[in-house]
Amino acid sequence: MAASDYVTDVQGLYVAYYGRWADVSGIDYWTRVVDADGGDLSSMVNQFGNSSEYENTYAEYLDDQGEIDDPSGIVTQLFQNMFDRAPDAEGLQFYVDALNSGESSLAEIALDIFNGAQNNDKAILDNKVTVAEYATEELEATGASYAGADDIAVAQSTLNDVTADGRSVVDAENTVDSTYGGGGETFTLTTSGGVVDGTDGDDTFIAPSETLDV
């Protein structure tokens, strides 16, 4: 397989672990790593767990030595990143026990939760990854800046608003466009001149940047 075949998996781990989309150099580097590992994400997620961004992202759950001193809080944050919800009590206890016993690292737990997403949780996670892929493509296309705490906060906030509803994906992608200067103009078609799509409401669409012959 080619490195490009792992873009969705890599974006998923950025969402799961950091709650943000990947930067252009990051997606390029990690897809190559995962490709070299035959699709195994373990090396990637374990290196995420030893990064300075990990310490910054989860600082409130760590002690002065960088060790986890709030396992319930840090596991809950993983669920919030992926599914915008807290874990159920049984699941939370399972992962807290795994952390406390040393049976699993936080990185391994993040990968386990990511791989085990089902039903509504999976729909939310899939939508977040869709937006993440769109955002990184926009970064590459526009050359916009994406570095530092402020840019990461914008990415995290945008993904936090993504739900299982497809409309939330459109809204998030519009936010990406306005942030990075991509996309086209937004128009609203009213029904005063007739029905647009078979419904009686107004219709909104995003016009592409290119000029179209109609």
Side-chain angles (χ1 to χ4, degrees), residues 16-41:
Y17 209 79
Y18 294 140
R20 68 171 177 92
W21 47 77
D23 50 281
V24 175
S25 61
I27 202 75
D28 180 65
Y29 174 77
W30 286 114
T31 51
R32 293 175 188 275
V33 169
V34 174
D35 182 41
D37 288 343
D40 188 347
L41 300 171

Side-chain angles (χ1 to χ4, degrees), residues 141-205:
T142 64
S145 175
Y146 179 55
D150 289 344
D151 289 334
I152 288 174
V154 169
Q156 290 171 335
S157 175
T158 302
L159 289 179
N160 282 343
D161 290 335
V162 176
T163 68
D165 183 355
R167 179 69 234 182
S168 71
V169 174
V170 175
D171 290 342
E173 290 179 350
N174 286 343
T175 298
V176 170
D177 288 340
S178 64
T179 301
Y180 299 139
E185 296 180 82
T186 300
F187 299 88
T188 297
L189 303 181
T190 68
T191 59
S192 59
V195 175
V196 175
D197 65 353
T199 64
D200 60 0
D202 293 348
D203 295 81
T204 301
F205 70 96

Side-chain angles (χ1 to χ4, degrees), residues 16 18 33-34 36 46 51 57 61 73 77 80 85 96 120 130 139 152 163 180 186 198 211:
Y18 294 140
V33 169
V34 174
N46 279 318
S51 68
T57 301
Y61 309 114
Q77 187 60 55
Q80 293 288 351
R85 68 170 179 86
V96 167
N120 192 65
T130 294
L139 283 169
I152 288 174
T163 68
Y180 299 139
T186 300
T211 299

Side-chain angles (χ1 to χ4, degrees), residues 74-179:
I74 205 167
V75 169
T76 297
Q77 187 60 55
L78 291 176
F79 275 80
Q80 293 288 351
N81 289 348
M82 288 183 255
F83 314 130
D84 291 327
R85 68 170 179 86
D88 59 77
E90 183 179 356
L92 177 60
Q93 192 60 55
F94 175 82
Y95 288 121
V96 167
D97 289 345
L99 267 181
N100 288 337
S101 67
E103 178 183 348
S104 299
S105 67
L106 185 69
E108 291 167 337
I109 289 171
L111 187 57
D112 188 55
I113 297 170
F114 173 76
N115 286 330
Q118 298 180 37
N119 303 321
N120 192 65
D121 285 344
K122 188 176 189 308
I124 293 171
L125 181 57
D126 286 349
N127 280 350
K128 287 176 182 282
V129 173
T130 294
V131 173
E133 290 184 277
Y134 182 86
T136 303
E137 289 169 1
E138 283 296 292
L139 283 169
E140 184 170 26
T142 64
S145 175
Y146 179 55
D150 289 344
D151 289 334
I152 288 174
V154 169
Q156 290 171 335
S157 175
T158 302
L159 289 179
N160 282 343
D161 290 335
V162 176
T163 68
D165 183 355
R167 179 69 234 182
S168 71
V169 174
V170 175
D171 290 342
E173 290 179 350
N174 286 343
T175 298
V176 170
D177 288 340
S178 64
T179 301

